[in-house]
């Protein structure tokens, strides 16, 4: 499952789009979901690919500032998804796009994306937690999983968690792969960084690629605080999870090649659904983006 050595190309491969002839709206692109050891493709593939498609449809320099998404059907792994972009509005300061993803002739994903030209204004962001240990003091996923077995974990899923996701991820207080490490508190933090420098992506500027990278990586761990407070680990036999809907706001630009702190919190869990929030910070305390996601959480 994992490449040797681990590489961030899994991300840049995912957001490399091919122009296509539109069937429904104004523009169309195709992209391929990346390998993973589950029955369905990773939801972050769809969010990031839709973000890339929307950004490629806005030629006047406006920057993506928000996305609001629904996951309608599971996507096949290693298969092509067709993204159709509707040019909903282009104004002087703001633009709006609708993106729908299709596979096997059926819609499986839909989002609205907003773009802003930017203007002068006062700045504020939430505080960075100075008490979080630095990534150098934490175990990598590969180090944590070395020699461990249990639950529904297979060698394939172990390799994927260790190095197949394109990003080095280090958990505070600890991961929830096999058991819930640390207290059953409704919050956690994850340091993350691409395994190697991000490659250029055709059709995107480096700044647009970095926005798509945040949209891609946010989905891996956003529901983990909900799992943590419910005392559920990813390898819990019979556990089923799925992304239902997703919202993301991009507050300011910043490079994604360095360490980012992803601070996450569980908001609610009931009726087989859980809601989590997350905030991305750079090491110099800049708040780059905020995520809210609801997901299906169905234990045995």
């Amino acid at each position: 499952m994992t490449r040797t050595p681990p590489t961030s190309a899994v991300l840049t491969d995912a957001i490399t789009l091919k122009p296509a002839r539109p069937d429904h709206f104004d523009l169309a692109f195709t992209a391929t979901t990346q390998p993973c050891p589950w029955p369905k493709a990773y939801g972050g593939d769809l969010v990031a690919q839709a973000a890339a498609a929307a950004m490629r449809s806005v030629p006047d320099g406006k920057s993506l500032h928000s996305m609001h998404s629904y996951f309608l059907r599971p996507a096949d792994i290693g298969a092509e998804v067709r993204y159709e972009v509707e040019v909903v509005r282009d104004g002087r300061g703001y633009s709006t796009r609708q993106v729908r993803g299709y596979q096997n002739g059926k819609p499986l994903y839909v989002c609205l994306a907003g773009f802003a030209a930017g203007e002068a204004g006062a700045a504020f962001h939430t505080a960075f937690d100075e008490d979080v240990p630095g990534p150098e003091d934490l175990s990598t996923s590969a180090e944590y999983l070395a020699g461990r077995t249990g639950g529904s974990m297979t060698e394939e899923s172990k390799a994927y968690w260790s190095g197949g996701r394109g990003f080095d991820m280090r958990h505070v207080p600890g991961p929830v792969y096999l058991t819930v490490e640390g207290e059953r508190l409704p919050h956690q933090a994850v340091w993350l960084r691409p395994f190697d420098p991000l490659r250029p992506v055709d059709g995107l500027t480096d700044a647009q690629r970095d926005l798509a990278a945040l949209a891609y990586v946010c989905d891996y761990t956003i529901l983990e605080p909900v799992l943590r407070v419910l005392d559920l680990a990813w390898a819990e036999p019979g556990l089923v999870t799925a992304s239902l809907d997703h919202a993301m706001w991009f507050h300011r630009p910043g490079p994604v090649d360095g360490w980012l702190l992803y601070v996450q919190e569980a908001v609610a869990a009931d009726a087989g659904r859980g809601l989590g929030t997350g905030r991305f910070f750079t090491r110099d305390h800049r708040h780059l983006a905020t995520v809210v996601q609801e997901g299906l959480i169905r234990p045995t």
Side-chain angles (χ1 to χ4, degrees), residues 73-91:
R73 292 180 173 87
D76 294 336
I77 298 169
E80 198 171 76
V81 179
R82 180 187 187 85
Y83 294 92
E84 297 255 355
V85 183
E86 180 184 8
V87 178
V88 178
R89 177 181 182 269
D90 277 320

Side-chain angles (χ1 to χ4, degrees), residues 19-106:
R21 183 175 178 177
D23 291 334
H24 305 284
F25 296 120
D26 299 299
L27 298 94
F29 303 90
T30 62
T32 302
T33 57
Q34 298 301 292
C36 68
W38 325 124
K40 58 186 181 297
Y42 167 54
D45 278 2
L46 306 183
V47 179
Q49 290 168 353
M55 287 188 286
R56 288 184 61 165
S57 76
V58 180
D60 60 1
K62 295 188 186 77
S63 180
L64 179 66
H65 74 81
S66 67
M67 293 183 69
H68 300 268
S69 307
Y70 279 90
F71 301 86
L72 309 178
R73 292 180 173 87
D76 294 336
I77 298 169
E80 198 171 76
V81 179
R82 180 187 187 85
Y83 294 92
E84 297 255 355
V85 183
E86 180 184 8
V87 178
V88 178
R89 177 181 182 269
D90 277 320
R92 180 179 299 178
Y94 292 88
S95 292
T96 306
R97 299 292 188 265
Q98 179 182 218
V99 183
R100 290 190 185 184
Y102 297 86
Q103 193 175 72
N104 303 319
K106 297 180 179 180

Side-chain angles (χ1 to χ4, degrees), residues 236-251:
E236 180 83 15
L239 176 66
V240 176
T241 66
S243 301
L244 296 175
D245 63 311
H246 173 281
M248 191 166 190
W249 295 266
F250 303 90
H251 308 304

